Amino acid sequence: MTGLLGNDQIKALANEESVRGVLVRTVLEQAEDADSDELKLLENALQLLLSRFQAMEEEAP
Amino acid sequence: MILRSIEMESFGRFHGQTIEFRRGMNLVIGPNEAGKSTIAEAVPAVLFGTDRLERYKPWGRNACSASLFFEGGGRTIQVKRNLITDEVELVERDDLYQPLSQFSGKAPLRGRSSSCREYRELLESLLGVADEKLFRATYFFSHQPQEWTGEELAQKLRTLVSGTAEVDYADILESLLDEHFNLTRSNPWGRDKQRDREYEEVCRELENHDPADTVPVFVEIDDSTEISGQIEALSAELVNDRLEYEKGLRYIEHVRSRQTTNVEMNPRTVQGESPAAGSAVDDDICKQLTVAGFPEEPPRNLVELLAEAAEIRQEMSTLQQPYAALGTREKKIPRVPWVVLLSICALLVVVAGAAWWQQLYPLQVSASVGIIVLLLSGWCGWRFTMSRKAQAACKAERGRLDQKKSAIQQRQSVLSERCEAQGLPSSPIDLVRLQKLVSANRELLENYWSRPAPVRLVDDVAVRDEPGPLEQGGEADSDEEVAHADELLDLEARLAEFEDEMSRKEGRLQELNRQLENLASSQRSGTAGDDTALRKRKYELESRITLLRKAINLLAGSVDEFSRSHLVRLNREAGKLFAKITAGRYAEVRLDENMIPSVLVDRRRWISVDNFSKGTIDALYLALRTALIKIRNDGRSLPLMLDDPFVHLDQKRLATALNMVDMASADGQLVLFSHNLELGKRAARERWHVVPLDGGTVDTSTGEEGGENAGQLHLL
């Protein structure tokens, strides 16, 4: 798997016992059977969610 | 895993001091400014690095470093960090002090290098946490707000289960829903569906411009985008087609040139119709052969050549044995020890001379010496003769073997020439490799050889590339060759068709480019331009809405999944701990889907946490966090660090709170930092491990420890 889903950090996140970990695992599972359009949508959705997590963490006091 | 000690070589006000901890309850006690917070901060600073170096770097010194030692499960982990350079050394050892894993390199707090990633992955696997903020949010307890509400507690828990230190997944879900809600009224999540949003407005405007234009939801694609997509796809297709076409042309040229050569070398005509025929080679087979590593056009006698090569190798190998035996025989041929013999003779002569000189039985001695020398000479002569005979036999044997070898080498060189003439590699290693390839791809080769031999048109004469088994003359032969000629004609016809197809595609590409140009020019002027902009906006909105829906579904699904898989265990673990802390008064805890806790009272009523006292809510929070750590880190938990969390409590509440943390420490390790000297008495009574601080010095008087790992580190 290449692109965002093949990223080492994503693989590390997938091992987390947290909502974020479950999220990444779900996306990786769905990506296995996805066609190219669906794969692109999954990648974009995961990117959107993780960037929200990151942005909120950075905004936190 | 327990924190066994913190070694502060140079950290804050501590120099070369070691603070030890025990399993269970630890109390670090001292007045303000004694260094309690510095000790507490040493743990995350060493594990993750710090961006507040100036706070910990001793004044006037150019060094700042500390080490942590963890123990548990028969392993020790030592982490040492130089906080100035961020150089880290981490070593995990087993109970025999053998390293299990280690890391050495730079790992700054916010580093993103591969070395940092490697270090964090190791930390995550060993200690269950690799993020400084998350570590603080999970293991650090400080002064709590005066009053907790159930929602505040739930928010804190949601943040922790999100896998971050600060982000509540519910906030992210809310922000995505808000964004979706602002884009369209078509809302699967039950919000206001009456008022039009931007998407519906854009659709309505488009309808006004062109009433015939229907408003399908999330499917229509902007014309220019569609045309651009088509152009892109067609261009890519044409590039491929051109490459294929050129390849085809080159191939036909190649076959023609080969045929011309063959005509010159082996001119022969085929009876039959003109124009002459050609041959077609199965591209696939050729490709597969090339991919497998065969040389171009493997000859039909390849197997025979390889068999001969194998036979030659076998003979060479067989020859090695007699050569080796001959070598051994040659080594065993007895040599005459001339030096020893001459030395003995000289010695005997000297003895005889001395006997004559001293007149001590000169005749007897001389006779004895003469006899001995004679005997020795006789033995040497016999031995010399034997040795010469053996050498001659060996020489004859070597000559015979050399002759055989030379014959084999001659065969080898003839074979090499044959191989080279047929475009095959000639070295024995290459031939062995080729033989393996042949064994592995026998079927493919059979297919290649069983195909008709290529023929081509040369001045109205059909010529076979290579004489095949069927080319023994006769009617069948000529029929087949005519068929091959037809095949080549067919190939040429197909190439021509392919060329036509390419021309059609090029025409279509030009047409699309014209359409795109027209669209662009209409966009530049008048209403058509408005339409295009609206359509483009509509497409963007649809893409965004689709993305938001996917993201919302994924996150909501993950929360559900997490709840299904973890909530039951979390409730059970928290319930057990909460029962312990409250001495069995409350036995069960339940978190709803929003993580709002409630507690079972009198074994029959679930009461929301808002109805309990602050002390009980604190206890519940402690129980939930400890349970969460247990689940999250799967037994790799670090100690809980409580930095004066009870500073605002009165005596009665303090006593309750201390009971609570004392109970909580029973299953692991808890380090309580406090300035309340009264706690010392309780520590003595409860046999806690106490680390008293006094203005920067550490008195490591200790209490008893119940843990089985006590003192191991000192032994190591």
Side-chain angles (χ1 to χ4, degrees):
Chain A
M1 203 170 283
T2 54
L4 177 70
L5 301 185
N7 187 298
D8 285 345
Q9 277 174 303
I10 295 293
K11 287 177 190 164
L13 281 178
N15 294 326
E16 271 188 12
E17 284 308 321
S18 63
V19 168
R20 194 169 53 174
V22 175
L23 168 72
V24 175
R25 286 199 290 275
T26 309
V27 171
L28 289 173
E29 274 166 27
Q30 289 188 12
E32 279 176 16
D33 303 322
D35 59 25
S36 60
D37 289 344
E38 178 67 11
L39 191 66
K40 183 108 187 131
L41 183 60
L42 276 170
E43 275 196 339
N44 289 341
L46 182 62
Q47 197 160 25
L48 173 68
L49 285 164
L50 293 181
S51 61
R52 290 276 164 116
F53 269 101
Q54 196 177 354
M56 284 199 175
E57 190 139 31
E58 280 165 9
E59 279 169 18
Chain B
M1 189 69 62
I2 62 162
L3 175 64
R4 173 58 70 191
S5 66
I6 303 176
E7 210 175 281
M8 289 179 283
E9 289 90 345
S10 181
F11 191 82
R13 58 193 309 164
F14 300 97
H15 306 289
Q17 281 167 299
T18 300
I19 298 169
E20 293 180 359
F21 300 98
R22 296 282 191 263
R23 188 177 293 282
M25 187 71 177
N26 295 266
L27 175 67
V28 181
I29 192 164
N32 288 336
E33 301 300 318
K36 297 187 297 296
S37 296
T38 306
I39 295 172
E41 287 296 328
V43 178
V46 172
L47 287 177
F48 309 106
T50 182
D51 49 9
R52 291 184 294 170
L53 177 64
E54 69 287 350
R55 190 178 155 190
Y56 306 119
K57 188 179 159 193
W59 193 84
R61 289 193 183 207
N62 198 23
C64 184
S65 62
S67 307
L68 305 177
F69 293 86
F70 296 94
E71 274 185 17
R75 294 173 304 137
T76 60
I77 296 166
Q78 179 187 358
V79 189
K80 180 179 180 180
R81 179 183 289 265
N82 180 334
L83 284 109
I84 294 175
T85 60
D86 274 319
E87 290 282 347
V88 182
E89 281 176 30
L90 185 155
V91 188
E92 181 201 13
R93 293 191 167 94
D94 63 12
D95 48 4
L96 296 173
Y97 211 57
Q98 295 300 312
L100 296 172
S101 54
Q102 54 190 26
F103 169 86
S104 177
K106 273 197 166 193
L109 180 62
R110 293 182 218 296
R112 290 178 186 275
S113 64
S114 59
S115 153
C116 283
R117 274 209 301 275
E118 189 193 335
Y119 173 67
R120 287 192 194 120
E121 277 169 21
L122 194 57
L123 267 191
E124 177 79 42
S125 70
L126 295 177
L127 303 177
V129 63
D131 180 90
E132 188 242 1
K133 281 186 174 177
L134 188 60
F135 173 80
R136 287 177 185 281
T138 315
Y139 293 103
F140 265 64
F141 288 76
S142 55
H143 323 293
Q144 303 295 352
Q146 284 297 309
E147 292 296 334
W148 281 99
T149 66
E151 176 49 36
E152 280 167 347
L153 195 56
Q155 193 179 7
K156 200 80 184 157
L157 288 170
R158 285 197 301 264
T159 302
L160 291 175
V161 300
S162 293
T164 67
E166 307 282 357
V167 185
D168 176 354
Y169 64 77
D171 289 344
I172 292 182
L173 207 50
E174 193 64 26
S175 75
L176 293 171
L177 285 167
D178 281 348
E179 192 180 338
H180 186 276
F181 181 62
N182 285 331
L183 293 180
T184 175
R185 74 177 189 196
S186 159
N187 197 315
W189 298 283
R191 294 204 187 181
D192 170 22
K193 296 179 178 180
Q194 301 305 311
R195 189 171 56 84
D196 284 345
R197 315 290 197 293
E198 189 184 355
Y199 178 70
E200 285 76 26
E201 280 165 10
V202 168
C203 290
R204 201 171 46 248
E205 266 188 66
L206 268 173
E207 252 183 312
N208 290 341
H209 281 196
D210 182 5
D213 191 5
T214 54
V215 190
V217 182
F218 308 141
V219 290
E220 194 173 311
I221 298 173
D222 176 66
D223 281 350
S224 62
T225 314
E226 189 178 347
I227 292 172
S228 302
Q230 283 180 15
I231 288 174
E232 207 174 304
L234 205 57
S235 302
E237 221 174 289
L238 268 168
V239 168
N240 274 338
D241 286 356
R242 281 187 196 116
L243 285 172
E244 286 297 315
Y245 181 74
E246 279 167 21
K247 219 161 98 183
L249 278 179
R250 271 202 307 275
Y251 179 69
I252 287 178
E253 277 309 308
H254 168 70
V255 175
R256 279 181 182 155
S257 64
R258 267 184 50 214
Q259 291 298 341
T260 314
T261 314
N262 282 342
V263 168
E264 284 162 3
M265 288 170 67
N266 183 23
R268 59 194 293 270
T269 58
V270 174
Q271 302 290 321
E273 298 168 19
S274 69
S279 75
V281 178
D282 187 339
D283 265 353
D284 275 351
I285 296 179
C286 288
K287 270 183 198 166
Q288 283 175 41
L289 286 173
T290 313
V291 169
F294 281 100
E296 215 174 294
E297 296 172 19
R300 283 170 193 274
N301 59 347
L302 177 63
V303 178
E304 182 201 322
L305 288 172
L306 290 174
E308 195 178 340
E311 197 183 320
I312 290 172
R313 275 198 309 280
Q314 180 63 36
E315 283 177 14
M316 273 293 204
S317 149
T318 318
L319 212 56
Q320 294 304 315
Q321 269 183 336
Y323 264 115
L326 186 65
T328 317
R329 265 174 63 196
E330 280 174 342
K331 275 183 193 166
K332 284 183 180 169
I333 292 174
R335 312 272 170 204
V336 182
W338 293 112
V339 178
V340 178
L341 197 72
L342 286 173
S343 308
I344 293 171
C345 288
L347 191 68
L348 289 170
V349 170
V350 170
V351 170
W356 278 100
W357 180 260
Q358 294 295 325
Q359 289 298 309
L360 284 171
Y361 308 107
L363 279 172
Q364 290 88 331
V365 171
S366 299
S368 302
V369 166
I371 290 167
I372 293 171
V373 169
L374 214 62
L375 283 174
L376 280 175
S377 305
W379 178 78
C380 283
W382 171 79
R383 187 153 183 162
F384 180 70
T385 315
M386 294 300 289
S387 157
R388 287 297 294 268
K389 269 187 185 171
Q391 276 176 358
C394 287
K395 199 174 172 186
E397 178 69 10
R398 187 169 285 281
R400 198 174 56 79
L401 289 176
D402 284 346
Q403 218 171 353
K404 262 190 181 178
K405 191 177 172 185
S406 150
I408 297 170
Q409 280 171 338
Q410 207 166 353
R411 274 180 70 199
Q412 173 71 55
S413 71
V414 171
L415 182 73
S416 298
E417 277 171 22
R418 281 174 68 196
C419 288
E420 277 164 15
Q422 307 220 28
L424 294 173
S426 58
S427 82
I429 294 170
D430 286 338
L431 288 173
V432 170
R433 186 184 61 78
L434 203 54
Q435 190 164 30
K436 282 183 184 165
L437 281 178
V438 169
S439 310
N441 301 281
R442 192 64 193 240
E443 202 179 329
L444 189 64
L445 275 171
E446 293 292 347
N447 288 341
Y448 175 78
W449 288 324
S450 64
R451 72 182 167 68
V455 289
R456 66 157 305 250
L457 289 168
V458 181
D459 299 333
D460 293 343
V461 178
V463 182
R464 293 288 296 257
D465 178 30
E466 240 178 44
L470 293 176
E471 287 178 331
Q472 306 300 322
E475 208 171 319
D477 185 14
S478 61
D479 282 353
E480 190 184 325
E481 291 186 7
V482 170
H484 295 160
D486 288 344
E487 219 172 327
L488 181 59
L489 283 174
D490 181 46
L491 186 72
E492 284 171 342
R494 272 162 54 199
L495 198 66
E497 260 179 47
F498 190 63
E499 196 177 356
D500 287 346
E501 179 67 24
M502 270 172 55
S503 306
R504 273 197 296 279
K505 280 182 186 172
E506 273 163 359
R508 171 78 183 140
L509 186 64
Q510 280 173 359
E511 174 67 25
L512 286 171
N513 276 325
R514 260 199 306 279
Q515 280 180 21
L516 191 66
E517 183 59 33
N518 289 342
L519 266 175
S521 60
S522 67
Q523 199 173 357
R524 283 193 288 273
S525 61
T527 325
D530 292 345
D531 272 4
T532 310
L534 279 173
R535 280 167 192 273
K536 198 168 181 177
R537 179 64 188 148
K538 187 180 164 212
Y539 175 64
E540 284 168 2
L541 286 169
E542 283 170 355
S543 301
R544 187 70 185 167
I545 290 166
T546 310
L547 180 64
L548 285 168
R549 286 185 174 190
K550 187 75 187 172
I552 290 166
N553 286 333
L554 277 171
L555 185 55
S558 303
V559 172
D560 284 349
E561 175 64 30
F562 183 86
S563 301
R564 267 198 304 278
S565 56
H566 291 76
L567 221 53
V568 174
R569 197 175 153 208
L570 184 61
N571 286 339
R572 195 176 57 237
E573 294 286 345
K576 272 198 305 198
L577 198 59
F578 192 49
K580 198 181 272 184
I581 293 171
T582 58
R585 188 170 175 195
Y586 304 113
E588 280 186 52
V589 174
R590 186 177 67 186
L591 297 171
D592 70 7
E593 69 274 13
N594 293 318
M595 294 275 169
I596 295 178
S598 47
V599 175
L600 186 65
V601 178
D602 298 335
R603 298 190 178 278
R604 54 196 169 85
R605 280 181 304 142
W606 287 100
I607 302 219
S608 166
V609 74
D610 286 324
N611 299 317
F612 290 94
S613 67
K614 182 181 181 315
T616 311
I617 295 176
D618 279 347
L620 181 59
Y621 179 51
L622 181 67
L624 282 165
R625 263 178 73 167
T626 313
L628 196 60
I629 289 168
K630 207 169 174 179
I631 290 171
R632 226 187 102 80
N633 295 346
D634 200 21
R636 296 165 298 179
S637 305
L638 295 171
L640 294 180
M641 315 281 277
L642 282 74
D643 190 5
D644 248 346
F646 313 124
V647 69
H648 300 300
L649 302 189
D650 57 32
Q651 286 298 320
K652 193 179 165 195
R653 279 193 167 179
L654 179 63
T656 315
L658 286 173
N659 280 341
M660 181 177 91
V661 294
D662 197 12
M663 291 291 191
S665 71
D667 285 344
Q669 188 186 27
L670 204 144
V671 185
L672 174 62
F673 297 85
S674 180
H675 71 285
N676 187 346
L677 298 176
E678 289 296 313
L679 282 179
K681 291 176 191 167
R682 169 143 190 175
R685 206 168 52 241
E686 304 284 345
R687 303 172 79 80
W688 294 347
H689 174 69
V690 181
V691 181
L693 298 178
D694 181 18
T697 57
V698 181
D699 176 4
T700 51
S701 66
T702 59
E704 296 291 323
E705 184 186 14
E708 70 279 3
N709 294 324
Q712 276 188 8
L713 202 72
H714 303 293
L715 290 175
L716 294 176

